Amino acid sequence: MTMMSFVRSVLLLLLSLTCLMVTGCAAPQVNVVRSQAPLESPIRTIALMPSGGVLADAIGVELLQFGFYVIDTGKISGLMIRDNLNEIEVTQPQNLSRLYNDGIDAVILVKSVAGYDGRPQSASVKIVHTKTGQLVAGANWQNGRGGAQGSPADQGARVDLAVAAHQIANAVGQSLQATSIK
């Protein structure tokens, strides 16, 4: 084997490995499902439930771009204290109607799991209409694999909290706009 053919073989091997790593990446994915049932009233004001943490706050900020009024977790905590309710009680139909009477059309419930690297690993988001208790839309978001389950390229495809919030809010915001138009 000549030196030139050896170099070509090594380059071809490196190119093949690079292609495998790039195509093997698991990019973040978001899946949104919305109710096909028409709403009795449109969603304009959305409240963030306190248990959603930093990701819920970031999603709320991103939802502003869709023209929604977003009520932050601090105000909802104040309403919960005023009405002597915990977060589980707030989502019961009789208490959701209290929020509706306070001008809040929907609540967003966010649950997330952090990965080994501090980036979000997965999140689930539910939007519940306060007038009816109807689940209006939901989203499931999954970050790239990374870590022991993925390649170094997978680790590079994992996104941070700000990007996750942006992706989730875009998907949910578009879904809510379509739902609210009916």
Side-chain angles (χ1 to χ4, degrees), residues 11-155:
L11 287 175
L12 184 59
L13 178 64
L14 287 174
L15 181 61
S16 297
L17 287 174
T18 302
C19 287
L20 281 174
M21 285 178 38
V22 170
T23 59
C25 295
Q29 297 177 338
V30 63
N31 180 41
V32 176
V33 178
R34 67 181 177 93
S35 172
Q36 298 302 311
L39 295 176
E40 289 185 28
S41 59
I43 295 175
R44 293 187 185 101
T45 304
I46 301 171
L48 306 171
M49 288 288 112
S51 65
V54 178
L55 183 58
D57 288 335
I59 291 169
V61 168
E62 291 288 336
L63 283 173
L64 292 172
Q65 70 181 317
F66 291 92
F68 295 109
Y69 298 104
V70 179
I71 307 298
D72 74 348
T73 56
K75 181 167 182 180
I76 292 302
S77 293
L79 292 173
M80 289 167 51
I81 290 168
R82 177 196 75 188
D83 294 336
N84 196 27
L85 301 170
N86 63 38
E87 196 161 327
I88 293 171
E89 293 168 329
V90 167
T91 58
Q92 294 173 343
Q94 68 274 18
N95 296 321
L96 283 172
S97 65
R98 286 176 164 178
L99 294 177
Y100 183 77
N101 292 335
D102 286 336
I104 298 169
D105 301 313
V107 293
I108 294 185
L109 304 157
V110 177
K111 293 185 181 178
S112 63
V113 176
Y116 68 95
D117 56 1
R119 297 174 186 169
Q121 180 62 34
S122 62
S124 66
V125 178
K126 291 190 258 180
I127 296 91
V128 178
H129 200 286
T130 55
K131 184 174 183 180
T132 62
Q134 172 187 1
L135 181 61
V136 176
N140 291 308
W141 178 88
Q142 182 72 41
N143 211 342
R145 288 189 305 265
Q149 300 135 337
S151 69
D154 288 331
Q155 292 175 15

